[in-house]
mmCIF file of all heavy atoms in Angstrom:
data_model
loop_
_atom_site.group_PDB
_atom_site.id
_atom_site.type_symbol
_atom_site.label_atom_id
_atom_site.label_comp_id
_atom_site.label_asym_id
_atom_site.label_seq_id
_atom_site.Cartn_x
_atom_site.Cartn_y
_atom_site.Cartn_z
ATOM 1 N N PHE Z 137 -7.447 -48.297 28.545
ATOM 2 C CA PHE Z 137 -6.017 -48.461 28.453
ATOM 3 C C PHE Z 137 -5.339 -47.124 28.480
ATOM 4 O O PHE Z 137 -5.793 -46.149 27.914
ATOM 5 C CB PHE Z 137 -5.578 -49.223 27.249
ATOM 6 C CG PHE Z 137 -5.949 -50.658 27.246
ATOM 7 C CD1 PHE Z 137 -7.128 -51.096 26.702
ATOM 8 C CD2 PHE Z 137 -5.083 -51.636 27.774
ATOM 9 C CE1 PHE Z 137 -7.518 -52.386 26.740
ATOM 10 C CE2 PHE Z 137 -5.435 -52.949 27.825
ATOM 11 C CZ PHE Z 137 -6.670 -53.391 27.300
ATOM 12 N N GLU Z 138 -4.195 -47.057 29.174
ATOM 13 C CA GLU Z 138 -3.357 -45.919 29.201
ATOM 14 C C GLU Z 138 -1.905 -46.266 28.760
ATOM 15 O O GLU Z 138 -1.434 -45.756 27.785
ATOM 16 C CB GLU Z 138 -3.288 -45.227 30.555
ATOM 17 C CG GLU Z 138 -2.447 -43.982 30.632
ATOM 18 C CD GLU Z 138 -2.526 -43.279 31.992
ATOM 19 O OE1 GLU Z 138 -3.546 -43.380 32.616
ATOM 20 O OE2 GLU Z 138 -1.510 -42.688 32.389
ATOM 21 N N ARG Z 139 -1.307 -47.239 29.461
ATOM 22 C CA ARG Z 139 0.063 -47.581 29.135
ATOM 23 C C ARG Z 139 0.159 -48.545 27.987
ATOM 24 O O ARG Z 139 1.178 -48.561 27.262
ATOM 25 C CB ARG Z 139 0.747 -48.246 30.374
ATOM 26 C CG ARG Z 139 0.976 -47.226 31.523
ATOM 27 C CD ARG Z 139 1.471 -47.950 32.780
ATOM 28 N NE ARG Z 139 0.451 -48.759 33.388
ATOM 29 C CZ ARG Z 139 -0.515 -48.318 34.197
ATOM 30 N NH1 ARG Z 139 -0.561 -47.018 34.482
ATOM 31 N NH2 ARG Z 139 -1.368 -49.143 34.688
ATOM 32 N N ARG Z 140 -0.883 -49.344 27.719
ATOM 33 C CA ARG Z 140 -0.866 -50.288 26.628
ATOM 34 C C ARG Z 140 -1.921 -49.953 25.544
ATOM 35 O O ARG Z 140 -2.398 -50.815 24.850
ATOM 36 C CB ARG Z 140 -1.078 -51.734 27.126
ATOM 37 C CG ARG Z 140 -0.141 -52.188 28.264
ATOM 38 C CD ARG Z 140 1.307 -51.951 27.898
ATOM 39 N NE ARG Z 140 1.757 -52.767 26.764
ATOM 40 C CZ ARG Z 140 2.180 -54.045 26.836
ATOM 41 N NH1 ARG Z 140 2.192 -54.635 28.015
ATOM 42 N NH2 ARG Z 140 2.580 -54.657 25.781
ATOM 43 N N ARG Z 141 -2.233 -48.669 25.484
ATOM 44 C CA ARG Z 141 -3.290 -48.245 24.528
ATOM 45 C C ARG Z 141 -2.967 -48.581 23.111
ATOM 46 O O ARG Z 141 -3.825 -49.087 22.339
ATOM 47 C CB ARG Z 141 -3.536 -46.754 24.688
ATOM 48 C CG ARG Z 141 -4.701 -46.245 23.837
ATOM 49 C CD ARG Z 141 -4.909 -44.745 24.097
ATOM 50 N NE ARG Z 141 -5.391 -44.516 25.432
ATOM 51 C CZ ARG Z 141 -4.807 -43.758 26.353
ATOM 52 N NH1 ARG Z 141 -3.653 -43.184 26.066
ATOM 53 N NH2 ARG Z 141 -5.365 -43.592 27.526
ATOM 54 N N GLY Z 142 -1.709 -48.335 22.665
ATOM 55 C CA GLY Z 142 -1.341 -48.633 21.276
ATOM 56 C C GLY Z 142 -1.503 -50.073 20.951
ATOM 57 O O GLY Z 142 -1.951 -50.437 19.899
ATOM 58 N N LEU Z 143 -1.048 -50.958 21.832
ATOM 59 C CA LEU Z 143 -1.154 -52.404 21.600
ATOM 60 C C LEU Z 143 -2.600 -52.817 21.508
ATOM 61 O O LEU Z 143 -2.988 -53.606 20.625
ATOM 62 C CB LEU Z 143 -0.426 -53.158 22.724
ATOM 63 C CG LEU Z 143 -0.473 -54.708 22.602
ATOM 64 C CD1 LEU Z 143 0.096 -55.172 21.278
ATOM 65 C CD2 LEU Z 143 0.231 -55.301 23.809
ATOM 66 N N ALA Z 144 -3.413 -52.310 22.424
ATOM 67 C CA ALA Z 144 -4.874 -52.674 22.420
ATOM 68 C C ALA Z 144 -5.527 -52.225 21.145
ATOM 69 O O ALA Z 144 -6.264 -52.978 20.541
ATOM 70 C CB ALA Z 144 -5.562 -52.017 23.657
ATOM 71 N N LEU Z 145 -5.256 -50.984 20.656
ATOM 72 C CA LEU Z 145 -5.849 -50.558 19.459
ATOM 73 C C LEU Z 145 -5.387 -51.380 18.233
ATOM 74 O O LEU Z 145 -6.133 -51.715 17.337
ATOM 75 C CB LEU Z 145 -5.455 -49.072 19.218
ATOM 76 C CG LEU Z 145 -6.169 -48.037 20.091
ATOM 77 C CD1 LEU Z 145 -5.533 -46.671 19.974
ATOM 78 C CD2 LEU Z 145 -7.637 -47.951 19.699
ATOM 79 N N SER Z 146 -4.053 -51.703 18.205
ATOM 80 C CA SER Z 146 -3.491 -52.484 17.123
ATOM 81 C C SER Z 146 -4.142 -53.881 17.052
ATOM 82 O O SER Z 146 -4.509 -54.328 15.966
ATOM 83 C CB SER Z 146 -1.997 -52.630 17.275
ATOM 84 O OG SER Z 146 -1.368 -51.351 17.166
ATOM 85 N N LEU Z 147 -4.343 -54.494 18.218
ATOM 86 C CA LEU Z 147 -4.913 -55.829 18.218
ATOM 87 C C LEU Z 147 -6.377 -55.780 17.822
ATOM 88 O O LEU Z 147 -6.808 -56.650 16.992
ATOM 89 C CB LEU Z 147 -4.833 -56.420 19.631
ATOM 90 C CG LEU Z 147 -3.387 -56.792 20.106
ATOM 91 C CD1 LEU Z 147 -3.424 -57.228 21.546
ATOM 92 C CD2 LEU Z 147 -2.797 -57.968 19.244
ATOM 93 N N ALA Z 148 -7.078 -54.822 18.300
ATOM 94 C CA ALA Z 148 -8.519 -54.712 17.920
ATOM 95 C C ALA Z 148 -8.696 -54.428 16.483
ATOM 96 O O ALA Z 148 -9.483 -55.045 15.761
ATOM 97 C CB ALA Z 148 -9.189 -53.632 18.784
ATOM 98 N N PHE Z 149 -7.917 -53.445 15.900
ATOM 99 C CA PHE Z 149 -8.062 -53.055 14.508
ATOM 100 C C PHE Z 149 -7.545 -54.137 13.563
ATOM 101 O O PHE Z 149 -7.853 -54.066 12.416
ATOM 102 C CB PHE Z 149 -7.405 -51.706 14.268
ATOM 103 C CG PHE Z 149 -8.157 -50.523 14.792
ATOM 104 C CD1 PHE Z 149 -7.499 -49.439 15.264
ATOM 105 C CD2 PHE Z 149 -9.528 -50.518 14.770
ATOM 106 C CE1 PHE Z 149 -8.201 -48.359 15.801
ATOM 107 C CE2 PHE Z 149 -10.258 -49.439 15.285
ATOM 108 C CZ PHE Z 149 -9.603 -48.358 15.804
ATOM 109 N N ASN Z 150 -6.796 -55.064 14.061
ATOM 110 C CA ASN Z 150 -6.338 -56.183 13.184
ATOM 111 C C ASN Z 150 -7.599 -57.024 12.799
ATOM 112 O O ASN Z 150 -7.521 -57.760 11.812
ATOM 113 C CB ASN Z 150 -5.331 -57.040 13.920
ATOM 114 C CG ASN Z 150 -3.960 -56.831 13.371
ATOM 115 O OD1 ASN Z 150 -3.773 -56.456 12.199
ATOM 116 N ND2 ASN Z 150 -2.928 -57.065 14.152
#
Side-chain angles (χ1 to χ4, degrees):
F137 291 90
E138 181 175 329
R139 291 174 292 277
R140 308 307 298 273
R141 183 178 291 123
L143 178 60
L145 287 168
S146 296
L147 291 173
F149 285 145
N150 256 334

